[in-house]
Amino acid sequence: MTVDYILKFPSKQVAEQFGIAKGFAKVDDDRNIQTSLATHTYALHEIGAHNGSDYWVLFRDLVGIPIPEGADQFIFWASDWTVEDDAGSEIQVPRPEFNPDVPSVFWA
């Protein structure tokens, strides 16, 4: 099952260090950070800074990758999140597309 995540990092540097630690990025011979934007198991898009501070990333899990340790603190929204409505039925948490604090063009 494909799951989309919107990740919110306090800075680009934190996002890069997390990516390196978890194998989604690496440092090349020239000391530049290279992000692996897609594999057979995931795809990601660096949205970038929004509202002058946070650094946002859209991550699409294509195969059910376990959430890496420490990633929970950066997950702002996930497409598989649910809540119970007033009748006790489980409903999906909607994508935060009208929240001014969240980038509005993140399905690049």
Side-chain angles (χ1 to χ4, degrees):
M1 177 172 114
T2 299
V3 179
D4 290 336
Y5 297 93
I6 298 174
L7 305 174
K8 177 182 172 184
F9 295 92
S11 69
K12 181 177 183 176
Q13 292 74 26
V14 172
E16 290 173 337
Q17 292 306 309
F18 180 80
I20 291 167
K22 302 305 178 185
F24 301 112
K26 65 180 182 175
V27 180
D28 68 16
D29 294 337
D30 296 324
R31 295 184 149 171
N32 297 313
I33 296 173
Q34 302 295 320
T35 303
S36 301
L37 297 178
T39 69
H40 292 288
T41 59
Y42 72 87
L44 67 85
H45 173 71
E46 293 183 57
I47 299 165
H50 180 68
N51 285 346
S53 61
D54 301 316
Y55 196 79
W56 299 80
V57 173
L58 171 65
F59 185 92
R60 177 166 284 169
D61 175 0
L62 302 172
V63 297
I65 301 169
I67 294 174
E69 184 177 333
D72 289 344
Q73 65 185 315
F74 303 118
I75 298 174
F76 184 82
W77 172 83
S79 63
D80 64 348
W81 283 357
T82 60
V83 294
E84 285 189 8
D85 64 11
D86 293 338
S89 299
E90 198 171 81
I91 59 171
Q92 190 172 14
V93 174
R95 181 170 49 108
E97 58 189 321
F98 300 111
N99 181 334
D101 296 326
V102 180
S104 60
V105 184
F106 47 72
W107 303 122

